[in-house]
Amino acid sequence: MPQLSRRLRPLALCLFTLAGAAQADTPCGGPFAGFVEGLRSEARAAGLPDAAIKAFFTGVQNAPAVLKADRAQGVFRKDFLAFSRAVISQNRLTTGAAQAKKQAGILAQAEADYGVAPGILLAFWALETDFGAVQGDFNTRDALVTLAHDCRRPKLFRPQVLAAIALQARGDFDTKTTGAWAGEVGQVQMLPADILRNGVDGDGDGHVRLKTSSADALMSGAKMLAGMGWRRGEPWLQEVTLPADLDWRLTGLEQSLSSDDWAARGVRARTGTLTPGLPASVLLPMGRKGPAFLAYPNFQVLFEWNQSFVYVTTAAYFATRLSGAPVVDPGTPEPGLTAAEMTRLQEKLAARGHDVGKPDGILGAKTRGAVQREQERLNLPADAWPTRRLLDQL
C-alpha cells in the first residue's frame, strides 16, 4: 500500500482534527457562492495545495437532484423478506460465486491482513454496486458540496469536501468523478474521508482508485471494517430455530446473552452448531413467527457501514448465503404495517415518551426498541415486530 506523501500525511491528520472540531458549529446554508468561498478558506487553512483547491472548486454547482434523492429514501420501508428477495437474486448469487473464484487471491489477502471474511466483502460489493457495474452517475464533487451546504447533515459532509480535495491533490480524485448521490465513490461506495483513512492500493499501481480497481476496493473495504471493530475469525449472523416458549423480552439487538446461554434456552442452529462462548442477540427481523437469527458482535459492526436495519440484516444474510448457508426459512410472520400506519405508530410512541427519531414510516432500531417496550407493557409478545393489534391498543 502506498503511503501519503510527506506533505499530505500531516494534512490528512489535520483534516480529521478539523472534522472533529467542526461538530460544534458547522456553517451551512446561505448564498451558495458565499458558502463555497467559505469552503475555499477552510481548505487553505487546512494546508491543502492552492492548485488543488482552485481546480476542485472551478465549475462547482449546487445539485438539486442530490437533495431530491436525499429526501426520497423509500427503499428501506420494505421489510426484511421483501427487501432481501428483491436484492438477493439468483444472478447475484451466481455472480458472487464466480467473483469469489476470480478474486480468490485478493479476498484471501484481505482476510489475512484484516480478518474480514470473503462473504462479507462480496455481499457489500454486490449490494453497493452490483460488483462494480452500477456505481452511480452523480457528480461527486457537486454532491458533496451540495450536501455540505444543505443544513440537514453539514457536520458529516463538510469534512468530506476537504478530504476530496486532499485525494485530488495526490492524484486519486478529479472533478469529473461520479458516484452515489450521497458522495460515496467506487465499487464499495466509500466517502472521501474513509478513502483517505482506509484506502489500500490492492493492485500495486501506486494509487487508490476504488472506481476502476476491484483489488483496491475490496482491500479498502476490508481495512475499513477492521477499523470499525471487525473481529477476526468470528461469525456475524447465523440462522436459528427457537422454542415456542422463549422469553421474547430477551430478543432484539438491545439484549445479549452468551451463545451457550441461548443453547440452554433451546435456541438451535438451523444448520451446523452455534459458535460457543460468544455474546449474541436473537434477531427477529419480522417478529417471533418470521425468520430468526443469532447476531454475533461482528453483526453490530456492520451498522458502522450502513445504519439501515433492513439493509444491514440483508447484507449479513446475503454474506451467509455466499458462504454456503441455505435459503432462510421465512416462517409465517404476522402482517406488518403500511408506511402510513408505521408513521402513525411512531407518532403514538413519541407521544408516550419514546425516542423514535422523526416519524418517517421506516422500522429502524429506535422504533423496534420502543415497540418492544410497549409490547411488554401491554402484555403482548415482546418481539419488537409492530402489528395492527399493537397500533390499535396504543
Side-chain angles (χ1 to χ4, degrees), residues 163 166 245:
D245 61 350

Side-chain angles (χ1 to χ4, degrees), residues 26 64 77 126 205 212 253 326 333 350:
T26 306
R77 289 190 175 92
D205 69 350
T212 55
L253 296 179

